[in-house]
Amino acid sequence: TGRRVIQLVQLAQRVAPNRAFEGATAGARLQFGDGLAGLGTLTPKLGAEGPFRVGETVTLRIACGRGGASATLVRGRTRVDWNVGGVPVYVDPADPDYATTALTLDGASGSAGTGTATVSFVVPASDAGTATTYQLFVTDPDAPGGTSASNGLELTIGTLP
């Protein structure tokens, strides 16, 4: 065991960082909160892939929604943690940067968990150093109140190096 520790220490001394962006320049993604389940007791999931930096393409990924359903992606800069009629809400609709995007989820119409979509965009320079929160609402008659909801997603855009 002593020999193994020495080998690990020697190995650790040879490790060289290979990340070009760290800290504020890297950007970050944070999934948080619970959504609200719909058909099949499945909750829509919202995630993202980056890099989360100015000039790069970000792709939002939606999964586990009701197949073929209408959905609304919301975004804003003010993150909240509200419960409105049993539906979790993570983006403040009073935020001046609040915006919505209408979508139709892929997947067999009316089938549980097959609803997917992607939304891609190039990060503008004006977003450097900011955090934006996203959430998805899906029209789903099997959800309480007729709407299922995703988790929250906060993207922090890296500053320019």
Side-chain angles (χ1 to χ4, degrees):
T1 58
R3 182 175 177 206
R4 186 173 287 159
V5 171
I6 291 171
Q7 288 173 335
L8 288 174
V9 170
Q10 289 172 342
L11 178 64
Q13 291 171 345
R14 289 190 226 140
V15 173
N18 64 356
R19 290 173 45 178
F21 299 93
E22 261 187 88
T25 62
R29 159 190 57 223
L30 174 67
Q31 291 173 287
F32 64 92
D34 296 320
L36 179 65
L39 179 65
T41 66
L42 295 172
T43 303
K45 304 292 183 229
L46 180 60
E49 61 183 64
F52 308 111
R53 294 188 303 275
V54 170
E56 300 287 354
T57 299
V58 169
T59 300
L60 303 179
R61 298 210 175 270
I62 298 156
C64 295
R66 182 185 187 102
S70 298
T72 302
L73 178 69
V74 300
R75 71 172 182 83
R77 298 248 167 95
T78 305
R79 178 177 159 179
V80 296
D81 189 2
W82 295 341
N83 185 306
V84 179
V87 179
V89 174
Y90 300 116
V91 183
D92 185 350
D95 182 312
D97 293 307
Y98 186 86
T100 64
T101 302
L103 305 167
T104 299
L105 301 183
D106 294 335
S109 183
S111 64
T114 64
T116 63
T118 58
V119 176
S120 296
F121 58 93
V122 176
V123 178
S126 60
D127 282 0
T130 65
T132 301
T133 302
Y134 298 84
Q135 187 176 16
L136 182 79
F137 298 97
V138 179
T139 301
D140 189 335
D142 291 300
T147 302
S148 62
S150 75
N151 54 288
L153 174 69
E154 183 178 79
L155 299 182
T156 302
I157 302 303
T159 57
L160 297 171

